[in-house]
Structures are given as structure tokens and as C-alpha cells.
Amino acid sequence: MGLSSRSAVAIHALTMLARWDRSLTSAEIAESLASNPVLVRRILGSLRDAGLVSSTEGRGGGWSLARGAREITLYDAYTAVEAGPILSRHAHPPSDACEVGRHMQNLLETEFRDAEQVMQERLGRTTIAHLVQQVLAAERGAAPANH
């Protein structure tokens, strides 16, 4: 299936929930994403199924982190919302009559598997807490000077 924007939406939502450390509605998260609340609810549902967020119904309800932001990695968010390998494989087997076609699936499988392993390791090193720290640092750097 390959990488989609679902991962970016999931990571954005998790970072928002960690930043404000309170329940947020899907509408509040969707506003930050400039996106549709229905899409956001669908992503949040997948994050809930993975045990990363929880929801509360009714007045004052919303979404919140189910685990600490230091315990949630970007790879956790990715696996909660994406299905299948990151890099798309051949949709159907290439021709065995061609010397390239005969070998390309095995060659690409090795390369793609290695690349996916590197991505998994990299995303597994970054936590949602780390992204919150980066957001706060970027905000401090972007704040206008008071004169």
C-alpha cells in the first residue's frame, strides 16, 4: 500500500494531545490540520485501537493520550495507521522471459526491506515528547522580540 498522509495526521494529532496535556476534540485537532474532522476521527480511531489514545464521550469529552508522550514513538503512530510495507512492490510478477524481469523482484525486495528497516529504526528513536520539545523550541525562536 505504501506511505500515506495518515502517518502525518496521526503524528500531528498525538503531538497536539501531548502539547496541551488535556482532552481535545476532533474538531480542534482538525482545525490545526486544516482538515476534515471526519478524517481526523478515523485516524484517532486507529490510534485508539492501537492503545495510543483514549476518548471520553459527552460534554467536556474528547481525545487524550493513553500513554506518556515519552513512551510513544513515531513508528508506533505509523504502525497504528498504515497497512502493509512502506515501499510498494510490483503489483504483479514481471516477465520471466526478460533477464531484468526475472531478477527484479528479488533485488528490489532486498533493497526495500533494508530501507524499511532503517526507517523503522529511525522513527522508533523519536518520541512524541521529542516533537513537543521541538515545537516549543521553534515557537521560542519564532516569537517576536519585545522592545
Side-chain angles (χ1 to χ4, degrees):
M1 175 162 220
L3 192 59
S4 74
S5 63
R6 290 185 302 266
S7 294
V9 170
I11 292 166
H12 187 127
L14 290 167
T15 303
M16 282 191 69
L17 293 171
R19 165 63 181 97
W20 280 283
D21 197 27
R22 65 174 174 86
S23 290
L24 297 174
T25 66
S26 53
E28 289 173 304
I29 296 168
E31 185 178 323
S32 176
L33 283 155
S35 184
N36 184 322
V38 173
L39 166 71
V40 172
R41 279 191 291 276
R42 199 173 301 132
I43 298 295
L44 288 166
S46 295
L47 293 173
R48 181 185 52 220
D49 293 346
L52 301 178
V53 300
S54 61
S55 61
T56 307
E57 298 287 328
R59 187 170 175 83
W63 297 89
S64 55
L65 293 181
R67 300 189 339 217
R70 283 185 169 80
E71 299 171 30
I72 301 171
T73 68
L74 301 190
Y75 189 70
D76 293 330
Y78 166 79
T79 59
V81 299
E82 302 289 353
I86 297 164
L87 300 170
S88 297
R89 280 29 177 203
H90 279 293
H92 54 82
S95 172
D96 277 341
C98 171
E99 69 182 54
V100 172
R102 258 192 303 277
H103 303 286
M104 193 50 56
Q105 275 189 278
N106 287 337
L107 295 172
L108 283 180
E109 183 59 35
T110 299
E111 292 299 320
F112 286 5
R113 191 175 48 244
D114 290 350
E116 289 165 344
Q117 180 66 34
V118 169
M119 182 179 154
Q120 177 182 343
E121 290 168 4
R122 177 64 181 92
L123 293 178
R125 286 195 309 262
T126 304
T127 66
I128 295 300
H130 184 248
L131 289 187
V132 169
Q133 291 171 345
Q134 289 181 305
V135 165
L136 295 174
E139 275 298 299
R140 283 191 300 273
N146 292 330
H147 289 278

